[in-house]
Amino acid sequence: MGYAEIYRGWKADPEAFWMKAAEAIDWDELPSKALFADKAPLYEWFSDARVNTCWNAVDRHVEAGRGDQPAIIHDSPITHSTKGITYRELQSRVASLAGALRAKGVGKGDRVIIYMPMIPESLEAMLACARLGAIHSVVFGGFAAHELALRIDDAKPRAIIAASCGLEPGRVVHYKPLLDKAIESATHKPDFCVIFQREQEVAKLTEGRDVSWHGFQYGVEPADCVPVEGNHPAYILYTSGTTGAPKGVVRPTAGHLVALNWTMKNLYNVEAGDVFWAASDVGWVVGHSYICYGPLIAGCTTIVFEGKPVGTPDAGTFWRVIQNHKVKSFFTAPTALRAIKREDPNGELIKDYNLRNLQALYLAGERADPDTINWAQRHLGIPVIDHWWQTETGWAIAGNPLGIEALPVKIGSPSVAMPGYDVQVLDEGGHPVKPGDLGAIAVKLPLPPGTVPTLWNAEARFRKSYLEHFPGYYETGDAGYIDEDGYLYIMARTDDVINVAGHRLSTGAMEEVLASHPDVAECAVIGVADALKGQVPIGFLCLNRGCNRAHGEIAKEAVALVRDRIGPVAAFKTACIVDRLPKTRSGKILRGTMVKIADGEDYKMPATIDDPVILDEIAEALRTLGYPSKG
Ligand code: COA
Ligand code: AMP
């Protein structure tokens, strides 16, 4: 069956489609049906089943005779080490860790925050929580203490599992002091913290609160898998919204298992025994779905890579990993390829490696620019597949399902809607537009299994952010169009979210931080085009009347403040002081127009602008910063 037939089949009978997909999962109690619509427009899937994620990701593969197959390969060019963990070893490590957590009181429904770098223990911590039915929330290591504290106060974890340090090229990230600072400033306090001591930096444990990863497992009884209800939250993953308060995306257990398992064969074309690599970080949704859960649920070998696309040690590192570990399907962000292309424009380093196992390259996280796709296709000689998804969905909304059928690639498009998603482009009034016309991209409800059913502790915010603008639809926050052949084109965000090196960041959150500077009266942050990172943030600051401090100094403090409060991942390096911000007569800052000026695009003078001269002042300020840039 081809894609069109499968998609039509899903649309005609979604219930049958998902019940069939559910057969690939090991259930403790089978679901009586797939969709639970009694709380519409909030939907759930497989709610009355009982199932355990860790069983499906680990134990069942040992039972099926895959115990000796590597489950995880850790490849760290930063520490010059490679290590494999078989499914059997993973099972015993995870059962022991889960047993130790249980002995300290962690059980089903308890939250556990995980703050760790790219080491196998991060996956083990996630799986140990899943084994107990505890709800993990992984916080990306590039976030600072304040962001961690926000998540502690929202998730209210019983425990926090952290590593002593992370390793960035040339820099040790001192996790433990960040963790201590976060706990100190948070209102909620965890019962205890588990610290994984890395040899690169051993942290001092806080007596009475911290236990060591190995020490607290001594002599404990390993834990078995605890079956949970299908709608039980598997995890919470915080993502950027329009304000400084991150949104806690909830991932429901059963739908997550069924949907991820479906994607491994149908979208990524891999099966048990194949090697799958997503070069992302466990702190992002890609890391949850395709470093940890997806490949393991499908019985693949997953790669945990601790390094960068360039500089660890060179732009050939990705190709080395693919060759050495016989990667079949590889997933990365376009920004990583742009970094490689910049250092190795002619793909010379690619020729040094034997990439015969590699069947396809998948890109997501940001818009894949045609130059990058063409470069990769030319030098790798395999299909380069753009696919589009979000933290909220957990798996691709649109893609090219190579495991079903390789559809013709249209460069600039992440191809077509996956079964489960009825994607439509709507005008402001919520009416579908003609093919080729731009509009807001929305998905007709219900969303498929595995997608966000609500936000943690914030159902009203969930309804307001996603369901209210277009009743009957989920609003993706992306704008774009669909062509005559049903191919989607994702053009921009409709909110204040920007995408920096494939990382989703909120300009609103940065503005909140900048506004807290004592000399700042008002500010605006915009995302401007960047040849490497896709977008980078720039801050415009208006100072309090009477402030006569040197502008350069204040700008420097502003940059340091964002790094300290949000973290290095914000890549906030530029702040400039201006007299006034351009606004509409009703006081709304014209951020969109500022972006167009910075990017050198044509713009229409907004009819409602209060004082057009301010735009000239902004253009002048941007020129002194080198925008619009030529690159
Ligand atoms: N812990 C602590 N700090 C981190 C971190 C982590 N896990 N990840 C990134 N950082 C820091 C970096 O050290 C850097 O700090 P600096 O300002 O001191 O240099 C900052 O955050 C920005 O990092 P990054 O966005 O990675 O930029 P870079 O300049 O170091 O590297 C690229 C540029 C393109 C090579 C890099 O962005 C990259 O590999 N991106 C891939 C993105 C990706 O996989 N995204 C996943 C979404 S699917
Ligand atoms: P995140 O939740 O961090 O995965 O970010 C999701 C957002 O990244 C989407 O809403 C898009 O704005 C953007 N995005 C992800 N994948 C793509 C893609 N393939 N093409 C264009 N934009 C993308």
Side-chain angles (χ1 to χ4, degrees), residues 140-142 168 171 279-280 286 308-309 335 501-502 533 563 568-569 573:
F140 177 60
E168 284 290 290
R171 174 164 75 94
S280 178
V286 176
K308 299 271 172 178
T335 188
K533 297 196 174 192
R563 190 177 174 94
V569 67
K573 310 247 172 182

Side-chain angles (χ1 to χ4, degrees), residues 57-265:
V58 183
D59 302 60
R60 69 162 167 168
H61 303 307
V62 180
E63 289 229 332
R66 300 197 159 276
D68 296 328
Q69 180 197 312
I72 300 174
I73 294 173
H74 185 227
D75 189 307
S76 169
I78 298 194
T79 60
H80 315 287
S81 66
T82 308
K83 163 176 146 179
I85 297 173
T86 65
Y87 271 102
R88 195 187 320 284
E89 287 162 346
L90 184 61
Q91 181 186 35
S92 101
R93 291 162 73 111
V94 169
S96 166
L97 179 61
L101 289 169
R102 186 180 56 189
K104 287 196 66 74
V106 174
K108 184 184 162 203
D110 287 334
R111 274 80 59 210
V112 176
I113 280 187
I114 298 173
Y115 188 52
M116 294 182 79
M118 288 300 289
I119 51 178
E121 286 78 6
S122 306
L123 277 61
E124 291 170 12
M126 294 162 81
L127 293 162
C129 291
R131 199 167 184 88
L132 298 172
I135 304 166
H136 65 66
S137 187
V138 182
V139 179
F140 177 60
F143 280 127
H146 172 71
E147 289 288 322
L148 180 56
L150 286 177
R151 288 154 174 80
I152 293 173
D153 275 337
D154 196 66
K156 301 193 171 35
R158 185 179 286 274
I160 300 183
I161 307 179
S164 54
C165 68
L167 301 171
E168 284 290 290
R171 174 164 75 94
V172 173
V173 185
H174 313 288
Y175 280 175
K176 187 56 183 12
L178 292 170
L179 174 67
D180 291 344
K181 197 167 151 198
I183 295 176
E184 196 187 308
S185 67
T187 312
H188 172 84
K189 310 289 176 198
D191 290 357
F192 67 102
C193 298
V194 180
I195 308 296
F196 179 77
Q197 301 279 21
R198 298 191 73 183
E199 63 187 44
Q200 290 77 15
E201 179 170 276
V202 175
K204 184 169 182 327
L205 302 188
T206 304
E207 236 187 272
R209 188 196 72 192
D210 298 347
V211 292
S212 84
W213 172 282
H214 293 292
F216 99 127
Q217 294 185 44
Y218 178 76
V220 300
E221 178 90 358
D224 284 334
C225 295
V226 176
V228 300
E229 299 76 25
N231 57 0
H232 181 72
Y235 67 78
I236 306 164
L237 179 58
Y238 288 89
T239 189
S240 300
T242 41
T243 68
K247 295 171 172 169
V249 169
V250 171
R251 185 79 55 220
T253 299
H256 181 230
L257 283 165
V258 173
L260 288 188
N261 187 69
W262 184 89
T263 61
M264 293 313 292
K265 171 70 189 115

